[in-house]
Amino acid sequence: MDDAGLKLIVFVSTVGLRVLEIESVSRAVLPKFYMDDIDMEAWKVFSSYDRRVVVTKTPRIMVERFVKEHLRADEVIGSELVVNRFGFSTGFVKGDIASIFSRVAKLFVDGEPTLGLGRATSNFQFFSLCKEQMHPPFITNQNLHDHQLLRPLPVIFHDGRLVKRPTPSTALLILLWMPLGILLATIRIVVGLMLPMRAMPYMSHLFGGKIIVKGKSPPPVSSRSSGVLFVCSHRTLMDPVVLSTVLRRKIPAVTYSISRLSEILSPIPTVRLKRIREVDAEKIKRELAKDDLVVCPEGTTCKEPFLLRFSALFAELTDRIVPVAMNYGVGFFHATTASGWKALDPIFFFMNPRPIYEVTFLNQQPVEATCLSGKSPHDVANHV
């Protein structure tokens, strides 16, 4: 029954996908969920041996990258996806327990494995090849301090829309929520496009959202001074929109490579850059001469709890720099992706039951911390 269930999950998940797409998901999405499911006591035993082999009924392509890079395994033996001649997965799996057992036996033809780790309910025959067997709960005699324990290589960057590990109950809850979530996101977006910017903070509470504001925002630009450049960390495509909502006025946002559809649907003006340094610098200067401006110098969204390296171009163009830390909180779906269609980012954000955005205004950079005092653009960018 377990095998039938696994084959059904694999079929639904992979049928019709290119092998390259499956490899991409195995590299960028699945490691986060695998890492959340690691039994550290089992890891202590597993990592104490010089040669480590992982045997699984899951298709090898879905686990190999994780176990070799993060668990430091030497070999991975599993089933194989059936791929047609056009490079698409059929969803079917080849390789039953007997074939996996034979491959394990060939791998250890020169000597028996010292120890086999696995669940007692597992029907893997390869346990009979091992000198010893160990089943949960894994109890070790190693009294290692934290600094002595060899830990799995952490997952730093990960992609994907799901916030939580899709256990059966969580997956069922998400599937049941999706129709209501799509309807709720549609209503939130349509109402947001229709209402004036100053009404948005009040409407967000009405539709279940929340915006947390910290720090003090600068006043609107006067007619005799250049605009303020808001330098934001980049969590989602909506960072500039949320900032405009908090300030209750439409502030143009510098964009790098968003789709035309996103620009058309944007409730605030956008300034598209061409990634030609001189041209982009002149365009930003013109905009700052007219009004305030928002820029996200990381260049791409990042859901991890740290910043990517800032482009230093913004530091050369003005001495009125206000850093703004952006963050968001969601329950079901991440509002950013590296490999998916980024135009869907706002939709996934508003599909969450109670989306939260946090905007923190930091102090405007003093003149001595800008290029006007002789500092290099890279020093200013790193300081920000």
Side-chain angles (χ1 to χ4, degrees):
M1 184 66 182
D2 288 344
D3 289 348
L6 176 62
K7 289 179 179 179
L8 177 61
I9 292 173
V10 171
F11 179 84
V12 173
S13 303
T14 65
V15 63
L17 296 179
R18 290 184 179 274
V19 173
L20 291 177
E21 293 174 326
I22 299 173
E23 290 176 343
S24 176
V25 172
S26 302
R27 179 178 64 253
V29 179
L30 294 181
K32 171 67 166 59
F33 300 129
Y34 290 150
M35 187 66 74
D36 291 344
D37 204 29
I38 285 181
D39 185 325
M40 289 305 297
E41 293 301 319
W43 164 253
K44 290 179 182 178
V45 180
F46 183 75
S47 62
S48 65
Y49 288 84
D50 294 330
R51 189 184 184 194
R52 299 182 281 268
V53 178
V54 172
V55 182
T56 176
K57 291 181 287 187
T58 304
R60 176 188 53 80
I61 190 175
M62 298 174 68
V63 300
E64 185 173 33
R65 185 71 177 251
F66 172 74
V67 298
K68 284 190 173 181
E69 289 193 1
H70 298 276
L71 302 186
R72 302 178 179 91
D74 299 293
E75 299 287 343
V76 181
I77 299 177
S79 58
E80 300 290 337
L81 283 176
V82 178
V83 181
N84 63 25
R85 60 192 180 95
F86 301 107
F88 290 91
S89 168
T90 63
F92 297 107
V93 175
K94 61 181 178 181
D96 54 11
I97 296 297
S99 65
I100 294 176
F101 174 82
S102 65
R103 280 184 282 159
V104 174
K106 289 180 181 178
L107 187 63
F108 291 98
V109 67
D110 296 330
E112 294 179 327
T114 305
L115 178 68
L117 294 174
R119 294 191 302 271
T121 56
S122 173
N123 59 358
F124 270 7
Q125 303 172 23
F126 83 91
F127 281 127
S128 62
L129 298 173
C130 304
K131 295 178 182 179
E132 298 181 34
Q133 300 179 21
M134 185 177 288
H135 307 292
F138 299 102
I139 302 175
T140 64
N141 296 322
Q142 304 178 42
N143 296 318
L144 300 178
H145 297 290
D146 286 344
H147 67 277
Q148 295 176 305
L149 177 63
L150 177 65
R151 296 185 178 277
L153 190 68
V155 178
I156 298 177
F157 290 101
H158 72 281
D159 200 7
R161 296 288 189 182
L162 295 181
V163 174
K164 299 179 180 178
R165 187 164 61 92
T167 60
S169 58
T170 302
L172 177 61
L173 180 61
I174 292 174
L175 288 174
L176 293 175
W177 171 258
M178 283 192 72
L180 180 60
I182 293 172
L183 176 62
L184 184 59
T186 303
I187 295 174
R188 285 168 168 169
I189 293 173
V190 171
V191 171
L193 292 174
M194 294 173 59
L195 292 177
M197 194 63 66
R198 60 181 179 275
M200 291 297 294
Y202 306 104
M203 296 304 298
S204 64
H205 291 281
L206 182 62
F207 287 96
K210 185 179 181 181
I211 300 178
I212 302 172
V213 182
K214 299 179 181 179
K216 185 178 180 181
S217 61
V221 61
S222 64
S223 58
R224 291 178 293 178
S225 62
S226 62
V228 171
L229 184 62
F230 292 97
V231 179
C232 297
S233 57
H234 205 9
R235 293 304 186 191
T236 76
L237 289 183
M238 295 183 300
D239 292 335
V241 177
V242 174
L243 180 63
S244 295
T245 300
V246 169
L247 296 175
R248 302 188 184 186
R249 63 183 189 273
K250 295 184 177 182
I251 302 178
V254 171
T255 64
Y256 292 92
S257 56
I258 67 171
S259 66
R260 291 293 183 184
L261 176 61
S262 298
E263 289 186 332
I264 293 171
L265 296 177
S266 174
I268 62 174
T270 59
V271 181
R272 176 179 283 265
L273 300 185
K274 297 183 177 180
R275 295 190 183 272
I276 302 174
R277 192 175 185 83
E278 294 76 14
V279 175
D280 293 344
E282 187 59 34
K283 185 176 291 187
I284 293 175
K285 285 181 180 179
R286 286 200 305 268
E287 293 297 328
L288 283 172
K290 296 184 293 185
D291 200 353
D292 296 339
L293 191 65
V294 183
V295 63
C296 299
E298 288 175 279
T300 186
T301 55
C302 177
K303 65 168 71 78
E304 314 303 336
F306 46 78
L307 296 176
L308 304 179
R309 188 176 181 86
F310 279 13
S311 167
L313 177 62
F314 74 90
E316 305 174 13
L317 307 177
T318 182
D319 60 331
R320 301 191 66 192
I321 300 172
V322 175
V324 184
M326 311 293 291
N327 204 1
Y328 71 93
V330 289
F332 287 159
F333 309 105
H334 279 299
T336 181
T337 177
S339 57
W341 192 22
K342 297 189 75 65
L344 295 178
D345 287 4
I347 297 175
F348 275 101
F349 177 77
F350 288 116
M351 281 176 62
N352 287 283
R354 186 168 174 76
I356 299 174
Y357 234 101
E358 184 176 304
V359 181
T360 304
F361 292 97
L362 305 180
N363 294 330
Q364 181 173 321
Q365 294 295 289
V367 175
E368 57 269 19
T370 67
C371 292
L372 198 64
S373 65
K375 289 185 176 293
S376 72
H378 293 287
D379 289 339
V380 175
N382 291 337
H383 178 72
V384 171

